[in-house]
Amino acid sequence: MKILWNECWLEALRVFRNRYFIFWSLIMPIVFYVFYTKVMVQDVGDPKLWEKHLLMSMAAFSVMGSSIMTLGLRLVQERNQGWTTYLKTTPVSGAVYFIAKMAGQTSVHIFTISVIFTSGGLINGISMPAIEWITAGMWILIGAIPFLALGGLIGTMKKSDTASGVSNLIYLALAVTGGMWMPMEFMPKLLQQVAQWIPSYQYAAGAWSIIRGEAPGLVGILVLIAYTVVFMILSIQRRRMQEAI
Amino acid sequence: MTTIIDCMAVGKSFKGKSAVKDLSFQMKKGEVVALLGPNGAGKSTTIQMLLGLMEPSVGRVTISGQNPKLKAVRERIGVMLQEVRLLDTVTVKEILQLVRGYYPRPLSMEQLTRLTGLDESSLNTRTEKLSGGQKQRVSFALALAGNPDMLFLDEPTTGMDAIARKTFWKSIRELAERGTTIIFTTHYLDEVEVAATRVLMMNHGELIEDATPAMMKKKLGMQRISFLTDAVYRPETYQGLAATDIRIDGKKVTILTGNADHSLKILYALELEISEVTVNRGTLEEAYSQLTDSPEVS
Ligand SMILES: Nc1ncnc2c1ncn2[C@@H]1O[C@H](COP(=O)(O)OP(=O)(O)OP(=O)(O)O)[C@@H](O)[C@H]1O
Ligand SMILES: [Mg+2]
């Protein structure tokens, strides 16, 4: 238990020391948020609702990004640097290492969600019942699991350059097609039709429902679970294949 | 004395190419073994199989009669792998604390810094900003973090400067006196003499020598007599010296011999115009080149 705590604490510390993380996961979402609610205000009907809606999008965008990129890249780098090999000579088990990584990442997410919610709330004076803030935050936290699994899958890649390129690409594609940067209604018809099969859309949509006083849809939850399972199976398979050599 | 490490007819091949062949040896508690051999001899492969990091293609390894992968074994061993392996974006102190936390009876921070010679400023440095030699010290500290009974060190002094090397071997001797069982690889003969109680030598994946350092030295330690001369003597002049090799490089003449005392006697008897006579022990490299020159036994 103490090992888990140490490992998790250090992991969180390492994430905060990473400049890319600070830029992509904290500064970018807040800058976007200010830009789309203060500078380039679109005509989206109820402006108060839009401000809340976009805040959820930004928090989801940030957490999804650090799940895919930070975790995946960390795993690749640590394997390439040989730290993972060194750990195999110590009494710490692979499972503890992995769980600690996830837990560290999750504590970082709690922090980013709080920062983004607070700054968004202050910038646009958003008021929501406490229960909505909390459930939306919880949703964004827990709904990130498929993206953590995707990070784990990216973590099985050999080269860190490939991993960083691929994860950037996937991240941006997911953000755009999930309607995190622009409301779905402004997107091409075709995309709107397939949107419900896109994990990032379902992830953000859950939070959008919550701030509208609704529960996240069952289909959305099932889609996210399905992606989690697929990503996990793929990464377990890849790990097996790599270990066999 | 009890057998701690038991390597039983172990072999390893990579894609049909064999790296280690039919290797068997035992290590007893408190032994300090130097594992020698030219590049590619199979030393690192052997260490990795002893640690259970690599599965032998044939044969078996036990540590204290157990599978080396067991947690109970891992709690008692310390390891420095050939390439330095550190976590980045953390300070040295943080990484040491983390790893100390993995073990039931870790060594105190004070002991670790004393044994490895890490100073306060490197303790507060991020691992990615350390120099190669400093990384090597941290790697040594990680190996000692759990207060191990056994140490596996693969080329531990690569990249260390003279002072770091001295601290390192002083600590190794201290640990050996406390009864720590140690196996290390090196390419420096003086390190063997300083620390080892036993020498294993590998070539082409096979164990070709299992001896004490003294025996080893005698067998391999070619001595090198060198001197300067202004007169140009023909190589035949030195023929009676029982030399295995004679090199003439301008004014400098180097003679490799198995028995320097004998050769020197003859050399002085020749009454040549020579100065600055020095005698050095041959290096491992010379020993290795002898090995590789000798015809292969198959
Ligand atoms: N993962 C691997 N895949 C394929 N071949 C390998 C692998 N690891 C080692 N070898 C081969 O096995 C042989 C022994 O390598 P090893 O690293 O054990 O040598 P070594 O004695 O440690 O050499 P050095 O002094 O250079 O460290 C070499 O021929 C090497 O090419
Ligand atoms: Mg090696």
Side-chain angles (χ1 to χ4, degrees), chain A residues 2-3 6-7 10 13-14 17-18 74 77-78 81-83 85-92 101, chain B residues 53 71 74-75 77 79 81 84-91 94-95 98-99 101-103 126 142:
Chain A
K2 199 182 118 234
I3 294 177
N6 280 348
E7 191 92 50
L10 198 62
L13 212 60
R14 294 178 66 216
R17 283 175 183 168
N18 179 344
R74 272 279 135 79
Q77 280 165 359
E78 282 171 27
Q81 290 162 353
W83 183 247
T85 312
Y86 168 75
L87 281 183
K88 284 188 192 154
T89 70
T90 71
V92 80
K101 279 252 141 25
Chain B
L53 289 177
K71 191 170 177 229
R74 307 238 131 130
E75 285 176 348
I77 66 175
V79 177
L81 294 166
V84 185
R85 296 146 189 270
L86 299 176
L87 194 67
D88 64 6
T89 48
V90 294
T91 65
E94 285 163 351
I95 201 174
L98 177 77
V99 171
Y102 294 162
Y103 295 90
R126 297 259 188 101
L142 291 180

Side-chain angles (χ1 to χ4, degrees), chain A residues 149 153 156 226-240:
Chain A
L153 180 60
T156 63
Y227 273 103
T228 309
V229 172
V230 170
F231 292 147
M232 274 168 47
I233 290 175
L234 284 177
S235 58
I236 290 168
Q237 250 177 6
R238 276 185 61 95
R239 260 172 243 279
R240 287 245 173 86

Side-chain angles (χ1 to χ4, degrees), chain B residues 131-206:
Chain B
S131 72
Q134 287 170 322
K135 277 189 185 155
Q136 207 73 15
R137 289 188 195 219
V138 175
S139 176
F140 182 41
L142 291 180
L144 298 181
N147 194 9
D149 301 334
M150 281 164 267
L151 278 174
F152 297 78
L153 312 168
D154 197 355
E155 295 193 24
T157 57
T158 308
M160 285 188 188
D161 64 18
I163 299 169
R165 238 170 244 262
K166 210 170 148 195
T167 319
F168 177 82
W169 290 112
K170 192 167 157 259
S171 302
I172 289 292
R173 275 203 306 272
E174 185 181 327
L175 292 163
E177 275 159 25
R178 287 194 223 162
T180 313
T181 310
I182 302 170
I183 178 165
F184 68 92
T185 71
T186 182
H187 288 295
Y188 304 99
L189 201 54
D190 55 334
E191 297 188 339
V192 177
E193 286 165 25
V194 157
T197 60
R198 180 179 167 197
V199 179
L200 297 178
M201 189 161 199
M202 293 181 76
N203 193 28
H204 297 299
E206 283 174 283

